[in-house]
Amino acid sequence: MKLGIVGLPNVGKSTLFNSLTKAGALAANYPFATIDPNVGVVQVPDSRIEKLGELYSTKKVTYATIEFVDIAGLVKGASKGEGLGNQFLANIREVDAIVHVVRCFEDGNVVHVDGSIDPLRDIETINLELLFSDMEILERRMSKTGKAARMDKSLQKEAAMQERLYKHMEDGNMAKTFELNDEDEEAYFKEYNLLTAKPVIYAANVAEDDLADDGASNENVKKVREYASKEGSEVFVISAAIEQDLAELDDDEKEMFLEELGLEESGLDKLIKASYSLLGLISFLTAGEDECRAWTITKGTKAPQAAGKIHTDFERGFIKAEVVNYDDLMECGSLSAAKDKGIVGMEGKEYVVKDGDVILFRFNV
């Protein structure tokens, strides 16, 4: 999974990136402290993998991962060349979802590019820049398709859809609200990789005092939540400054620190949950003496396609999947005990993989 982090300058974007990835991206109190995109890979915390590793006395434990791409802070007019211009937007065209960091804290020591704290104005600024960038991409596509459609009638359908889409966006609408008529249009649309078609997770960045009640008493957070609910986006409340402190601690110290703050989980945990929920993702597990590993798939994935996540040969030569639920396996204490109890299933090509399935794939190529 790949997430792109966006936001105005000085909203805590790079501080959050640093704390999530411990990558040491430059975070400074002036606009455009981040010029080149920073990329960091983070393990998805999953205690099930650790416990499976203990059960199998495994040589290696491998977690699922998330790749974060942190790009320069946007300003009004970025798509027309203001600030750093439009150059960085290409860096997030390939991400699965956008994490939009919104400043919901007051701090006279940290300047705001627009001079005041207004999360809805900030969201609109970013969304407009993403929209303008998408329209520019679409204009180029329309020019190319329009010329080709004169010679190739099969392209006329796509050309007509592009015009409808451009009009929709010209009216100030995000690409994600555009209605597609059939599978052909869905295929065209997917190919454009539009930023405003991507799912969004809003990171409401608050002061430490607002963390305990998850931002419930913060008026700015309320506004962000209302806005997000209308567009079907996820919101999580975070204090980038606290996350940075947490990033310096080991696991035991981190647990104590969170307890002192009255928190059950870190911002990274919240973000991962929000990402999995928004993108409809789950994890299945594989276990053995050589390696125990978590694999991320989309909900509704069938066994052969899940096998293909491990290796294309597994999908091509799929025969059966030996499946046991993680909790049942741990309760039994071993795979052989689970088999004796009759709770290990031999599943075929139509089996839909569930979160926490421990699977051994049988295949022949």
Side-chain angles (χ1 to χ4, degrees):
M1 177 163 50
K2 196 171 182 180
L3 303 177
I5 303 180
V6 303
L8 290 167
N10 295 352
V11 296
K13 189 172 57 66
S14 291
T15 305
L16 175 60
F17 174 82
N18 284 345
S19 57
L20 294 179
T21 65
K22 301 180 189 174
L26 174 65
N29 183 22
Y30 54 91
F32 313 119
T34 320
I35 295 177
D36 296 316
N38 294 294
V39 179
V41 178
V42 178
Q43 288 183 346
V44 175
D46 192 337
S47 60
R48 298 175 301 188
I49 289 295
E50 294 157 32
K51 287 171 184 168
L52 271 181
E54 289 165 15
L55 185 68
Y56 280 81
S57 303
T58 194
K59 293 172 190 167
K60 185 182 176 188
V61 170
T62 306
Y63 296 84
T65 58
I66 296 178
E67 188 175 311
F68 288 101
V69 183
D70 172 38
I71 59 170
L74 274 164
V75 289
K76 194 176 287 184
S79 59
K80 301 296 176 199
E82 289 298 319
L84 289 170
N86 206 3
Q87 63 190 39
F88 62 84
L89 288 172
N91 297 312
I92 56 166
R93 288 217 174 264
E94 300 306 317
V95 301
D96 299 302
I98 289 171
V99 179
H100 186 158
V101 184
V102 188
R103 181 168 165 178
C104 295
F105 67 91
E106 298 280 353
D107 186 342
N109 295 319
V110 182
V111 297
H112 189 291
V113 286
D114 288 328
S116 62
I117 307 304
D118 184 344
L120 297 189
R121 176 201 61 209
D122 294 355
I123 288 171
E124 286 298 320
T125 299
I126 296 288
N127 284 349
L128 270 176
E129 295 312 317
L130 298 181
L131 195 58
F132 291 148
S133 177
D134 280 350
M135 287 169 74
E136 195 181 305
I137 291 282
L138 195 57
E139 277 169 14
R140 283 192 226 128
R141 280 272 187 171
M142 287 167 76
S143 172
K144 193 177 169 186
T145 310
K147 284 173 190 168
R150 289 178 207 146
M151 305 295 291
D152 184 351
K153 286 187 177 180
S154 67
L155 293 171
Q156 288 175 2
K157 183 178 181 179
E158 182 176 7
M161 189 211 87
Q162 286 174 345
E163 282 182 27
R164 276 178 28 238
L165 176 56
Y166 191 82
K167 176 72 172 70
H168 176 82
M169 294 163 84
E170 205 173 29
D171 290 341
N173 301 304
M174 308 288 266
K176 68 176 82 171
T177 61
F178 181 67
E179 282 189 31
L180 298 161
N181 292 330
D182 54 33
E183 286 181 6
D184 286 343
E185 290 196 352
E186 281 174 27
Y188 305 145
F189 185 79
K190 195 174 180 183
E191 208 179 290
Y192 307 153
N193 225 352
L194 299 172
L195 295 169
T196 61
K198 294 184 186 296
V200 176
I201 303 161
Y202 291 101
N205 190 12
V206 301
E208 181 186 330
D209 296 346
D210 288 324
L211 275 179
D213 68 353
D214 202 33
S217 55
N218 183 311
E219 288 304 314
N220 288 319
V221 173
K222 284 179 192 171
K223 288 175 188 173
V224 174
R225 281 186 167 134
E226 282 167 20
Y227 184 95
S229 70
K230 285 175 190 168
E231 63 171 42
S233 297
E234 294 274 339
V235 179
F236 74 105
V237 173
I238 196 165
S239 168
I242 292 295
E243 289 301 313
Q244 198 162 34
D245 291 340
L246 282 168
E248 305 301 319
L249 306 175
D250 63 33
D251 289 344
D252 289 341
E253 290 172 325
K254 198 179 286 183
E255 215 169 288
M256 284 169 63
F257 188 31
L258 285 170
E259 212 172 288
E260 280 172 29
L261 293 169
L263 303 175
E264 289 179 12
E265 56 188 355
S266 71
L268 176 59
D269 292 335
K270 284 184 187 176
L271 174 53
I272 288 166
K273 281 182 183 172
S275 308
Y276 271 63
S277 167
L278 187 68
L279 297 171
L281 301 174
I282 58 170
S283 293
F284 75 89
L285 316 167
T286 53
E289 285 180 18
D290 287 334
E291 184 182 39
C292 287
R293 182 164 181 166
W295 304 86
T296 304
I297 55 169
T298 308
K299 262 182 207 168
T301 300
K302 291 183 179 178
Q305 287 69 50
K309 282 287 285 185
I310 300 171
H311 198 288
T312 50
D313 284 351
F314 283 29
E315 181 175 357
R316 195 156 52 91
F318 179 87
I319 301 170
K320 290 280 180 188
E322 192 175 278
V323 183
V324 60
N325 173 272
Y326 166 81
D327 290 327
D328 291 341
L329 176 60
M330 296 311 289
E331 199 177 302
C332 292
S334 71
L335 186 61
S336 57
K339 283 179 177 174
D340 290 342
K341 274 196 169 183
I343 54 174
V344 179
M346 291 298 289
E347 306 292 350
K349 290 182 178 180
E350 293 306 307
Y351 177 72
V352 176
V353 176
K354 299 177 187 66
D355 187 60
D357 277 350
V358 182
I359 308 179
L360 173 66
F361 292 105
R362 302 196 181 281
F363 70 102
N364 183 33
V365 178

